[in-house]
Amino acid sequence: MAGKYEKLQQQFLCCYPVNKMAWSSVKLPLNWAEQQELIAATCGHPLNKSHPVRRSYLEAFLKQLMHLLKDQDELHDDLYGNLCGRMAESPSSGTAYAYKHYLIQPGAQITLRESNSFVSEGTTGLCTWEAALALADYILQHKDVVKGKNVVELGAGAGLVGILLKLPALELHTGQVLLTDGSEPCVQLMRENIALNFDTKDEAGEVPQAETLRWDAVAKFPWEKYAKTDLLLAADVIYDDSQFDALLGALDYLFIQRSNQLEMLLASTVRNVDTLHKFMTELSAHGYKVTPCANVSACASHFCRDHTAAVQIISIRR
Ligand SMILES: C[S@@+](CC[C@H](N)C(=O)[O-])C[C@H]1O[C@@H](n2cnc3c(N)ncnc32)[C@H](O)[C@@H]1O
């Protein structure tokens, strides 16, 4: 961690919006050594060196920093070096993918390759959404909900939540973790991201698995290869009401398979109240009982989150 620039470091590595960063932690003027320290904590961080963040993000960050230091006589060479060096070496402003690093706590971090666009290759799942961060926070603040449980995530996208469940440093003691998504590019990306974060091959259920699962084909999935599911997770899957029947059909199938001995945690960004309400009504019509989960404390968040978008987390049982 980076001492006085710890927050900026965490924000930089996960590409938190430049205009919302903790710039107030930078006490001006910065002498030569302080400038060097700040650059080393962010652009020069070993994670960014090995798996770089989006170049357009790096440029925006450095431009903002230069603006902050505009009244200073001298700007450190490393500042120009990072800007020019990266520009020269990387003709990749149009590159579709880059890395984000989520520093959760000392010794626990997740590196994900993610799409630079919210929608690409016909899916919204190639980048991490706010609801996934909120669900991850909820789990970290209520570790008992996953302890000893075999978990299946639906619509897992780039894989953040499932990868977090198996990070040894977090000591969540989760059982088998199966990440699923209906989009093939998401499943490929999840597998890549799992390999980025775990050294070992899965021998004793220590590494999450990733498989293709479309909600309307849930009955065709080879469930017999996996442990009995105790907990379903899903983040940001309630935005398209044309998918509600398929999702409810998948829930019905999985709950019946487990004689209703199953819980689902569903995290949804509140974008359109009517869409969420419609899904809640349909859940109730299918015999599910919905309990709102305790709010995730914003100040105790393990992630850099943009709290302007409310995220609702509910527990679903039958
Ligand atoms: C907005 S993304 C959320 C990704 C991830 N959970 C997150 O919060 O970062 C929605 C995900 O649901 C998946 N999805 C949408 N409809 C689906 C369906 N019918 N079957 C399976 N997955 C689906 C998409 O492929 C996408 O990965």
Side-chain angles (χ1 to χ4, degrees):
M1 282 290 176
K4 58 187 165 185
Y5 302 123
E6 200 171 306
K7 195 68 204 170
L8 273 183
Q9 175 182 76
Q10 190 194 19
Q11 293 175 334
F12 172 84
L13 289 172
C14 71
C15 301
Y16 191 68
V18 164
N19 60 351
K20 295 182 179 170
M21 290 177 93
W23 294 110
S24 58
S25 63
V26 180
K27 301 289 174 236
L28 298 175
L30 288 190
N31 65 31
W32 195 253
E34 287 167 331
Q35 289 187 38
Q36 192 169 24
E37 189 185 343
L38 198 162
I39 294 290
T42 51
C43 318
H45 192 284
L47 284 172
N48 188 49
K49 292 288 176 202
S50 59
H51 296 91
V53 302
R54 203 169 69 236
R55 191 169 76 92
S56 59
Y57 180 81
L58 176 110
E59 284 174 27
F61 171 81
L62 287 172
K63 282 179 187 159
Q64 184 71 28
L65 182 58
M66 283 174 164
H67 179 70
L68 197 71
L69 305 181
K70 65 183 185 310
D71 295 329
Q72 297 203 198
D73 292 340
E74 278 190 312
L75 292 188
H76 199 286
D77 299 340
D78 288 354
L79 217 152
Y80 296 110
N82 272 285
L83 197 55
C84 304
R86 283 292 300 275
M87 274 178 176
E89 100 198 15
S90 157
S92 61
S93 49
T95 302
Y97 287 84
Y99 294 91
K100 289 188 182 179
H101 311 276
Y102 300 88
L103 305 188
I104 301 167
Q105 64 186 45
Q109 73 211 20
I110 296 178
T111 291
L112 295 185
R113 184 166 174 263
E114 297 189 17
S115 168
N116 294 334
S117 318
F118 288 126
V119 182
S120 60
E121 301 188 50
T123 175
T124 50
L126 297 168
C127 60
T128 300
W129 292 81
E130 189 66 19
L133 300 179
L135 183 57
D137 256 337
Y138 180 79
I139 290 167
L140 290 170
Q141 291 173 25
H142 303 85
K143 293 186 175 184
D144 281 353
V145 301
V146 296
K147 190 172 179 185
K149 305 264 177 75
N150 297 316
V151 181
V152 171
E153 185 176 354
L154 303 176
L160 176 115
V161 175
I163 288 173
L164 170 127
L165 290 178
K166 281 294 185 188
L167 281 191
L170 295 175
E171 299 185 328
L172 291 168
H173 306 294
T174 323
Q176 198 178 73
V177 174
L178 173 60
L179 303 188
T180 71
D181 202 283
S183 145
E184 286 287 346
C186 286
V187 176
Q188 290 310 320
L189 186 66
M190 275 192 260
R191 288 182 178 154
E192 204 179 311
N193 284 333
I194 289 168
L196 267 176
N197 289 279
F198 298 92
D199 294 336
T200 48
K201 288 266 166 244
D202 192 31
E203 265 143 31
E206 292 313 313
V207 175
Q209 305 291 297
E211 297 294 345
T212 305
L213 172 63
R214 274 202 0 248
W215 304 328
D216 60 3
V218 72
K220 294 188 190 134
F221 189 81
W223 292 107
E224 67 285 355
K225 289 192 195 160
Y226 298 92
K228 281 186 182 167
T229 314
D230 303 305
L231 179 67
L232 290 175
L233 297 177
D236 211 347
V237 294
I238 309 301
Y239 51 90
D240 175 2
D241 59 7
S242 72
Q243 295 301 307
F244 285 5
D245 284 349
L247 181 55
L248 283 156
L251 296 197
D252 285 347
Y253 178 89
L254 292 163
F255 272 77
I256 289 168
Q257 236 191 1
R258 289 303 328 271
S259 309
N260 291 331
Q261 298 304 301
L262 192 56
E263 180 185 11
M264 177 173 190
L265 291 176
L266 173 67
S268 310
T269 295
V270 185
R271 297 190 187 92
N272 183 330
V273 180
D274 292 341
T275 309
L276 277 184
H277 185 256
K278 186 174 174 196
F279 188 70
M280 296 304 144
T281 308
E282 294 195 15
L283 275 176
S284 151
H286 281 241
Y288 293 100
K289 188 171 172 293
V290 168
T291 316
C293 294
N295 276 343
V296 184
S297 161
C299 47
S301 175
H302 291 76
F303 296 90
C304 301
R305 283 178 46 203
D306 180 357
H307 294 279
T308 47
V311 177
Q312 174 201 72
I313 302 180
I314 56 171
S315 160
I316 300 169
R317 289 181 187 272
R318 185 155 71 169

